[in-house]
Structure formats: C-alpha cells, structure tokens
Amino acid sequence: MPSRKFFPFRFGVQSRSAGPRQPWLETVRRIEALGYDSISWPDHFVRGFEPVAAMAAAAIATEQLRLSGFVFDNDFRHPVVLAMSAGSIDVLSNGRLELGIGAGWLKDEYDQSGIPFDPASVRIARLEEAIHLLKLLLSGERTTFSGEFYSVDGLQIPPAPVQRPHPPLVIGGGSPKVLSLAAREADIVGITTRALPDGSKDAADMTAAATERKIAWVREAAGDRFGQIELNIICPTVEITDDRRGAAERLAADLPVTAEDVLDSPVALIGSVDEIVETLQERRERYGFSYIVVLEPVVEAFAPVVERLAGR
C-alpha cells in the first residue's frame, strides 16, 4: 500500500442561497473572515445561484477564499465553455479556482429541463473524455482533439488560468467507476453517497464500511499517486450538541441506518465542539479526510471547529 502523508485540515462551505444581493455578499465575506478556506456552489437548476456567476462575484468580493463549482455537471456545460469560464474565474480570483466536475446524477432536473439522462456508463465515459479535453484547453495552447463525444479543431481559449498547468481538479462520486476515474485524474477526490439509476441518492451508503470500500477503490486506481491526492467529504449533517446519542437516534429514525451508523458516518458531525474536533482527527487517521465541507446554515456554529483545526 502506498504510504500517505496527511494533508492539513481545511474547511469549505457549500452555498445554496440565492440572495438578496447585500446579505449574500456579507455572508460570503463572513465565511472568509471566519477562517474557512473555500466556498462552493452546486451545479443544479433547483439550488441557489448559478455557480459561474456566483464565483465571479465572490472573486471580487473576497481576497483569500478558494472558489468552486462543486461540482459542475458535465452534461450541462460543454468542455470548451467550461474551460473558458474556468480560465476567466481563475484570472479574476488571482488563482483561487478549484475546478470541480462530475457526471451528473439528479434525474429530475434532467427531465424537467429536457436534457437527456443517459445511462451512467455513458455519462461517465463522456466525463472522462471531457476531463482530458479540459486539461488540454486549460494549458493555454492551441488544441486539436477528436473523441467519441467531443471534437475541437485548433482552438486556443483566452485567458489562460493563473494556476499551472491548470487549476486543481476536483472529482467526486460514490461508485467504483467514478472514483477510479477521480483517482487517476483529480487533485482532490470527493467521497459521496452513491447515486442510484433513478437519480436518487442511496441513504444507506453513508456508513463507515461503505466509505472504507470507496477509499480502497481510490487507493487501488491511484497507485503511486494516492499520497498526492487530497481527500474531501461534504458533511450535510452537522449538529453541535451535548447529547450525541439523542441526536443520532433522532436522525436515524428517518434513515435506513442505525444510530450507531449515524455516529460513525463520515458525512455526519454530531457532538460538542471538542467531540467534533476529536472525531475529525480520528477520521483523518482512519480515512485520510482533510478537506471538510459543510453547508451554509451551520457556518457560524461550526466556526469554533474551524478555528481549532484549520491548517493543522
């Protein structure tokens, strides 16, 4: 097994709000002031601001926050269009872009928008080809490319990004195919619950055992580069409380898992600030997770954890 040196902790916030303008800008600046490292926007038609517009505004409103579409749906954005957006955001932010990209999974928004929802195998194959093309386009060089899904003939896109050879690539997923692709191509690999063929998420896939399987897939596919990959996880469940057990039992009542599964799940952070700090340290030792993302509503409550662990 390749040796692995743990990355320092860093913390991000996923934003799903959509204004009004001034409160939104104040929140973005507050996230930076509290010591969070990044802010991201999901690429869904049904959640929050459009991410490119949000990143452009945040690039001007902040000085240090790293910015990400977490993650851009490859089926919604042709690689040529995404490459131009990525280069522009990286320049406007002075090199603070993290380029997240995925195969798409939320079938309802495909159906509602009239975009074809192809089988997972097709979406993942198209994603892999898009990643190869994006890396070429973001090099700043004139690009010619011919694949199964995309064809480019002598295109050179301005502006070239500040970060070379390209902004850090973020790929997340919960299936062997996507995580193996991420392990081969990404700088940051996000571990998520798997998407089911009907476009829903498998809530039972949040367990510690499922997470260990996913890390094993990444390790196997990454080979010698595993130690260079930063491991990320989004924690949609964060509850600061002195009654961990009671909170877990309440949450488990609506899930196909036990309270013990909830307490042990890497996507849930439950307990006092001291308990959550200890939990995150244990999980970095166990899984390698160092890049932790929480949702916008818990920014203030979670800030003491960020203060204790960021950069350590």
Side-chain angles (χ1 to χ4, degrees):
M1 180 187 303
S3 61
R4 181 176 179 84
K5 181 179 179 180
F6 295 130
F7 284 76
F9 279 112
R10 64 188 185 110
F11 296 91
V13 175
Q14 187 175 92
S15 174
R16 297 182 181 181
S17 61
R21 176 184 183 274
Q22 196 57 38
W24 182 85
L25 286 170
E26 290 171 2
T27 297
V28 170
R29 294 184 179 118
R30 178 63 175 162
I31 288 168
E32 181 173 56
L34 287 170
Y36 289 90
D37 187 78
S38 70
I39 185 169
S40 61
W41 291 267
D43 194 18
H44 292 296
F45 300 132
V46 295
R47 294 178 187 167
F49 276 137
E50 192 282 323
V52 173
M55 284 192 288
I60 305 305
T62 64
E63 297 293 333
Q64 298 178 349
L65 276 181
R66 297 190 66 76
L67 312 170
S68 182
F70 204 108
V71 293
F72 286 113
D73 187 325
N74 183 56
D75 290 340
F76 298 166
R77 301 171 190 272
H78 191 286
V80 169
V81 177
L82 183 56
M84 190 164 192
S85 296
S88 299
I89 295 296
D90 205 49
V91 169
L92 290 172
S93 66
N94 196 27
R96 290 186 279 141
L97 173 68
E98 293 177 352
L99 181 55
I101 187 167
W105 64 272
L106 188 56
K107 184 176 183 296
D108 283 352
E109 66 182 343
Y110 280 76
D111 294 342
Q112 292 166 6
S113 62
I115 296 173
F117 188 68
D118 291 324
S121 59
V122 175
R123 286 181 281 118
I124 294 169
R126 185 161 52 233
L127 172 63
E128 182 166 12
E129 190 171 297
I131 290 166
H132 295 159
L133 178 53
L134 275 168
K135 288 183 175 182
L136 292 172
L137 291 166
L138 289 169
S139 71
E141 302 297 324
R142 193 168 300 279
T143 297
T144 296
F145 181 92
S146 180
E148 180 181 357
F149 303 100
Y150 304 109
S151 180
V152 172
D153 185 9
L155 180 64
Q156 186 174 23
I157 294 180
V162 172
Q163 299 176 94
R164 312 302 293 163
H166 53 74
L169 191 65
V170 187
I171 304 174
S175 71
K177 283 187 177 179
V178 170
L179 287 174
S180 295
L181 172 60
R184 295 190 301 269
E185 301 289 346
D187 304 286
I188 303 163
V189 174
I191 304 296
T192 70
T193 52
R194 66 176 177 173
L196 299 173
D198 66 357
S200 63
K201 284 281 192 171
D202 181 4
D205 195 47
M206 66 184 288
T207 63
T211 302
E212 288 172 344
R213 286 194 297 272
K214 294 168 193 175
I215 300 295
W217 296 334
V218 174
R219 182 184 292 111
E220 181 179 1
D224 290 342
R225 73 184 298 267
F226 181 64
Q228 303 167 29
I229 294 172
E230 187 177 29
L231 293 180
N232 158 272
I233 193 160
I234 296 180
C235 298
T237 300
V238 175
E239 189 162 334
I240 310 297
T241 176
D242 291 327
D243 183 12
R244 294 183 75 237
R245 183 74 194 186
E249 288 175 351
R250 174 171 44 78
L251 292 164
D254 296 323
L255 296 169
V257 295
T258 68
E260 288 299 330
D261 289 330
V262 172
L263 288 173
D264 205 26
S265 171
V267 303
L269 291 169
I270 303 169
S272 67
V273 168
D274 286 344
E275 287 170 330
I276 289 176
V277 166
E278 183 178 351
T279 294
L280 286 170
Q281 291 170 325
E282 290 173 350
R283 289 178 184 170
R284 183 170 63 174
E285 290 285 338
R286 181 175 179 181
Y287 305 107
F289 292 127
S290 59
Y291 186 4
I292 313 300
V293 175
V294 300
L295 303 187
E296 188 175 331
V298 301
V299 161
E300 295 285 349
F302 194 71
V305 177
V306 175
E307 184 178 11
R308 294 265 295 275
L309 289 179
R312 295 175 174 84

